[in-house]
Amino acid sequence: MKKRNILYVLMTLFAVCFISGCKQNVGTPEDNAVVEETESDEDETGGHVYGFSAADLSDPFYAVLKESAGSMIEEEESRMLVRDAGGDPALQNTQIQELINEGVEAVLLCPADPVSVTPALEALNEADIPVINLYMRVEAADLTSAFVGADDYNAGKVCGDDLIGRQPEGGSLVIVDQPENPAVNERITGFEEAVAGGGFEVDRIDTGDDYSLIPGQLKTVLKENPQINAVMCGDDHMAEQVLDTLKEVERDDILVYSAGGSPKIKSALADLASPMTGAGAVSPINIGKTAVKTASAILEGGTYEQETYTDTFFISKENVDMYGTDGWQ
């Protein structure tokens, strides 16, 4: 009888310890929306601690940019703490304050909103933490140490150059635009200046913040003007909506251009039956690498460019195999 009681007590103590051990894991980073990564196990190598504030890691572009920066930081045996705003400007401000509290030495910033992030920039400036602004320029640029982006103007221009080459007599085209987006604005400006004087009649779709409206607007334009023979899209997400719509209305005779060069768009280029014609390609990989080199130079007192624009180039059906369709360039 005594042995049975002793066994019961031991089993009870074991169960309590097990449950307590489980509870210690509640609230750890893997349970939270915030992402925190350490690229090296310990900061004992003399490396730096970088913060990466992402606009929205559900967007493959930003996810690849983060991975590229992380690889460079790992190579220099430093660490990177990551925060994902998920497209929420208010959350991004909170997360940047967290990075300040964590003691980061520099922040790589992809703003969820170029204006709303200003309070966080002021806090970083007060903490004497340099900011490398990535891809979309913030409004308070004087609070940043450097900007690393892409030559978005050229990304649009190369599409316009190709269209002029294919249709030297002009035609009717649709521009899918989002004027309040600085990157899209630059791309469309480059495209428009390339086709200016080319004899094109232009219809315009302003997407605003809701890309799901593109199919309905495009169908209306095509109904009113069935002679449309080209569409230029300010980014790849727009192009995906356009391609789906053209497939639905069975219009594979229209040339489609975009700026970005995502795996989905390159896959469409590789499909000879797709109306996807070309993309002004941006490289998040090069942006990420350049950003880390810039941040490192700032922290080490080296030389760096205050503004860097990585190259953009044209990908078409003819050369898409060179770049592959399973990832970004």
Side-chain angles (χ1 to χ4, degrees):
M1 186 68 178
K2 290 182 179 180
K3 289 182 180 180
R4 183 177 300 175
N5 289 338
I6 292 171
L7 180 60
Y8 176 79
V9 170
L10 289 175
M11 290 179 66
T12 302
L13 288 173
F14 176 78
V16 170
C17 292
F18 178 78
I19 293 171
S20 299
C22 291
K23 286 185 177 179
Q24 289 174 1
N25 291 326
V26 176
T28 57
E30 57 265 34
D31 295 321
N32 298 327
V34 173
V35 180
E36 181 172 342
E37 296 182 356
T38 303
E39 298 297 344
S40 60
D41 293 335
E42 297 290 341
D43 190 23
E44 298 177 351
T45 60
H48 299 292
V49 182
Y50 298 90
F52 187 96
S53 179
D56 188 353
L57 288 180
S58 68
D59 185 327
F61 180 90
Y62 290 114
V64 171
L65 200 164
K66 184 211 76 169
E67 292 299 328
S68 175
S71 295
M72 287 290 292
I73 288 170
E74 188 173 12
E75 285 180 14
E76 69 171 49
E77 297 185 320
S78 292
R79 294 193 300 144
M80 183 171 78
L81 303 182
V82 179
R83 293 294 186 274
D84 177 18
D88 184 341
L91 178 59
Q92 185 166 53
N93 281 328
T94 299
Q95 291 177 338
I96 289 174
Q97 185 60 56
E98 291 175 1
L99 292 174
I100 294 172
N101 296 341
E102 289 283 344
V104 297
E105 299 169 64
V107 170
L108 310 180
L109 171 65
C110 303
D113 179 86
V115 178
S116 300
V117 76
T118 300
L121 293 174
E122 292 172 343
L124 287 162
N125 185 60
E126 181 68 22
D128 198 26
I129 298 173
V131 177
I132 297 81
N133 179 194
L134 307 186
Y135 193 56
M136 182 184 294
R137 191 184 295 274
V138 298
E139 183 180 70
D142 59 315
L143 296 177
T144 65
S145 299
F147 173 80
V148 180
D151 188 351
D152 284 306
Y153 178 90
N154 186 65
K157 180 181 181 299
V158 293
C159 293
D161 290 341
D162 186 79
L163 178 58
I164 288 289
R166 293 175 186 272
Q167 296 186 342
E169 303 302 320
S172 296
L173 70 89
V174 178
I175 293 177
V176 186
D177 197 359
Q178 188 186 34
E180 63 273 19
N181 183 315
V184 170
N185 191 39
E186 279 292 300
R187 296 166 177 179
I188 296 302
T189 298
F191 176 82
E192 288 181 315
E193 293 188 3
V195 301
F200 287 95
E201 296 180 1
V202 180
D203 284 287
R204 191 178 300 273
I205 292 175
D206 183 352
T207 67
D209 294 327
D210 190 355
Y211 284 14
S212 67
L213 299 177
I214 292 174
Q217 294 182 70
L218 182 57
K219 289 176 184 178
T220 298
V221 171
L222 291 173
K223 184 176 181 180
E224 294 175 352
N225 184 6
Q227 302 305 313
I228 295 292
N229 47 30
V231 179
M232 171 61 190
C233 303
D235 68 29
D236 290 340
H237 297 301
M238 298 175 184
E240 291 173 25
Q241 294 279 352
V242 167
L243 291 172
D244 288 344
T245 304
L246 293 180
K247 183 177 181 180
E248 181 182 343
V249 300
E250 299 182 341
R251 289 292 304 270
D252 58 1
D253 58 326
I254 295 177
L255 306 177
V256 179
Y257 294 91
S258 178
S262 69
K264 285 186 178 180
I265 291 304
K266 288 188 291 185
S267 294
L269 284 171
D271 180 1
L272 296 181
S274 171
M276 193 69 214
T277 306
V282 176
S283 174
I285 295 175
N286 289 339
I287 293 174
K289 290 180 178 180
T290 303
V292 175
K293 290 178 182 177
T294 301
S296 180
I298 292 172
L299 294 176
E300 297 292 339
T303 59
Y304 63 94
E305 296 291 333
Q306 289 189 327
E307 290 189 358
T308 304
Y309 296 90
T310 59
D311 291 339
T312 51
F313 45 92
F314 192 66
I315 299 180
S316 64
K317 288 186 181 298
E318 290 72 29
N319 69 1
V320 67
D321 288 343
M322 293 173 54
Y323 301 99
T325 60
D326 58 350
W328 285 83
Q329 52 285 331

